[in-house]
Amino acid sequence: MVNKPKNNTMSASTSPPAYTLTYFDARGLAEVTRYLFAISETPYTDKRLPLQFKVPGDFSTIVKEEFDAAKKRGDFRVGMDRVPVLDVDGVRIAQSKAIERFVARRVLERAQPMLLHETQGAARARGGAEGAVDGHGQRDEP
């Protein structure tokens, strides 16, 4: 689900988008997105909402005051009041798998030439460059 701002403030500038990922201060539904940002070396803001247990290990006693306040303000309406939510220059995206697909397409295409170069370099180091295939399905001849 995508929620566009009412006043379209997105510009056609060439500056990279500002990403803000909001999720609880835990692993879970946002972890794959965090990995995608990390391996592509893409800067982003990792906004972690605190969780506290009144009784350790008893999930029925979780206190999440910051999340509850943001939910009350309507910050997570785009995701049916659930997290994770990714904010990209004022546009909000919800649902973990939709966020993962979006981030993979946006940031990994930038990293693909670097990863491809590293893979081909490793193949050459092993002596297997004759059979290497480039990103367009063409044979990479040494």
Side-chain angles (χ1 to χ4, degrees):
M1 302 179 87
V2 177
N3 183 24
K4 294 184 180 179
K6 290 180 182 166
N7 58 350
N8 192 357
T9 57
M10 294 180 68
S11 65
S13 69
T14 58
S15 65
Y19 297 103
T20 302
L21 179 65
T22 304
Y23 191 65
F24 296 111
D25 188 14
R27 294 182 186 171
L29 297 175
E31 199 67 10
V32 171
T33 303
R34 291 175 181 144
Y35 282 131
L36 290 170
F37 283 130
I39 63 172
S40 66
E41 298 177 353
T42 301
Y44 76 105
T45 302
D46 190 7
K47 184 175 179 184
R48 295 184 180 228
L49 304 170
L51 292 172
Q52 297 173 344
F53 287 92
K54 286 186 177 180
V55 177
D58 184 355
F59 285 87
S60 67
T61 64
I62 290 179
V63 177
K64 45 193 188 322
E65 293 172 0
E66 193 174 326
F67 170 79
D68 292 336
K71 181 178 170 182
K72 192 172 187 175
R73 285 191 310 268
D75 291 356
F76 307 126
R77 193 169 301 140
V78 67
M80 296 177 281
D81 290 333
R82 296 180 181 205
V83 288
V85 171
L86 178 68
D87 189 353
V88 185
D89 289 335
V91 177
R92 291 193 150 191
I93 303 169
Q95 303 294 321
S96 61
K97 295 302 176 194
I99 292 169
E100 291 166 14
R101 285 190 299 270
F102 176 84
V103 170
R105 285 187 187 119
R106 292 286 295 265
V107 303
L108 290 183
E109 68 186 21
R110 185 174 64 86
Q112 184 180 8
M114 174 186 66
L115 296 172
L116 182 61
H117 178 72
E118 289 176 5
T119 303
Q120 289 174 341
R124 284 191 182 95
R126 289 192 314 268
E130 295 80 28
V133 176
D134 70 10
H136 302 287
Q138 302 297 316
R139 292 271 177 214
D140 183 29
E141 300 300 329

